[in-house]
Amino acid sequence: MAFKDVVVIGQYIPTNSVLHRAMAETKIVMTLFFIIGAFISQSFAVLAVLFGALALLIILSNVPLRFYARSAKTVFVLALFTFVFNALLTGQEVLFRLGPIAFKTEGVIVGIFFGLRLFFLIFVSTVLTATTSPVDLADGLNTLLRPLEVIKVPVEEFSLIMTIALRFIPVLADEADRILKAQKARGLNLSGNVLRRIEKLVPIVIPLFVSAFMKAEDLAVAMEVRGYLPGVKRTKYKVTKLGGVDVVVFVFTAAVFVASYLLRSKWVLVW
């Protein structure tokens, strides 16, 4: 599987969906409140509400489900690691054994909860980046953080850094895929035990770092040629205004957050 098929966070999929028509600021606020909702309580009821909202967002985004499914394997591996780590080390009461390995009752429950939370956090962030272009994302962050300029926070530079970092994720995934294919054509074999595989990744990692620095330098030169100066006030090519879609998204976000807050004491994780 190609790297670009695994790393989907940061990839923008242009479609004419309801979420695409919403302002970037609206979607950023929605994502932020959903993330806060996921952390306000260790409640399975809250997770159920959030996953229901996430399913609705995925449908409304009009982005092909295979786009989200591409990252499911990687997220599943991370969630499985979280589950096993907690199942082995959390709690005292043994639920079952696999040879000398004991899985604890409390650990299994905690592992399931944190694995589901990890799934939610990654996929809700993917919805944001899939429905918001990098330029709109930068403008949205800049608008939301602008009050911090009062205390001399370089808001515009921070927004630009965050956006470039997100945009470089799929770019570097494509580059890693290209380098891997080139090295395989030269006879690279990634088979063997874990240590051998890590050792064989050196011919991929070093060119990837070199390419990343070269792309960063090219980007810096391009920005300088186009007259970019940090700290200078800029006008916007596209001025966005609050519309009906944004109002609906805000109401939906508020309803989900309130429901999460009210259900924070239901089906609570006790450990």
Side-chain angles (χ1 to χ4, degrees):
M1 183 179 291
F3 284 100
K4 64 182 179 180
D5 293 332
V6 176
V7 183
V8 298
I9 294 182
Q11 295 187 31
Y12 171 62
I13 308 297
T15 64
N16 187 28
S17 72
V18 174
L19 285 182
H20 283 75
R21 293 196 296 270
M23 293 171 52
E25 294 88 339
T26 304
K27 288 178 282 189
I28 293 172
V29 170
M30 177 190 67
T31 304
L32 178 62
F33 271 89
F34 280 5
I35 292 174
I36 294 173
F39 282 99
I40 59 175
S41 173
Q42 295 179 346
S43 166
F44 282 100
V46 172
L47 278 185
V49 171
L50 293 176
F51 269 101
L54 176 62
L56 181 59
L57 291 178
I58 290 176
I59 294 172
L60 293 177
S61 69
N62 201 25
V63 174
L65 290 179
R66 63 178 179 272
F67 172 79
Y68 298 106
R70 289 201 314 236
S71 67
K73 182 178 179 180
T74 304
V75 180
F76 177 77
V77 172
L78 295 175
L80 182 61
F81 175 79
T82 303
F83 169 77
V84 173
F85 181 82
N86 284 280
L88 295 178
L89 300 181
T90 303
Q92 300 293 331
E93 181 183 348
V94 177
L95 181 63
F96 63 91
R97 291 180 179 272
L98 290 178
I101 303 175
F103 287 80
K104 314 297 189 345
T105 303
E106 299 91 335
V108 169
I109 298 174
V110 171
I112 293 174
F113 179 85
F114 284 116
L116 291 174
R117 178 189 279 178
L118 180 62
F119 258 100
F120 175 79
L121 295 177
I122 292 178
F123 276 98
V124 76
S125 302
T126 302
V127 171
L128 171 64
T129 57
T131 59
T132 313
S133 69
V135 174
D136 291 340
L137 195 60
D139 288 340
L141 285 172
N142 190 21
T143 301
L144 292 174
L145 298 177
R146 189 165 295 165
L148 296 178
E149 291 180 347
V150 177
I151 56 176
K152 306 300 181 181
V153 175
V155 171
E156 191 159 332
E157 288 76 9
F158 174 77
S159 303
L160 181 65
I161 291 171
M162 291 293 294
T163 306
I164 291 176
L166 284 173
R167 187 67 188 90
F168 257 61
I169 293 175
V171 170
L172 292 180
D174 284 335
E175 187 67 16
D177 187 44
R178 184 186 66 81
I179 294 172
L180 178 60
K181 290 179 179 178
Q183 296 294 2
K184 283 185 176 180
R186 294 180 175 92
L188 177 66
N189 185 5
L190 293 178
S191 61
N193 57 40
V194 176
L195 294 178
R196 290 290 296 170
R197 288 184 180 183
I198 294 176
E199 181 182 351
K200 292 177 181 180
L201 285 177
V202 174
I204 300 174
V205 173
I206 293 178
L208 182 61
F209 270 92
V210 173
S211 176
F213 284 117
M214 291 177 62
K215 290 182 181 297
E217 184 177 2
D218 291 342
L219 178 61
V221 172
M223 292 173 63
E224 185 177 357
V225 169
R226 287 168 173 79
Y228 177 82
L229 292 174
V232 176
K233 293 293 183 181
R234 293 175 178 79
T235 58
K236 291 186 178 181
Y237 174 73
K238 182 174 67 174
V239 179
T240 56
K241 294 183 179 180
L242 191 69
V245 174
D246 301 287
V247 174
V248 173
V249 172
F250 276 129
V251 172
F252 172 71
T253 302
V256 172
F257 186 78
V258 170
S260 300
Y261 181 79
L262 294 177
L263 293 173
R264 70 189 186 280
S265 59
K266 304 294 184 181
W267 303 344
V268 176
L269 182 66
V270 179
W271 56 293

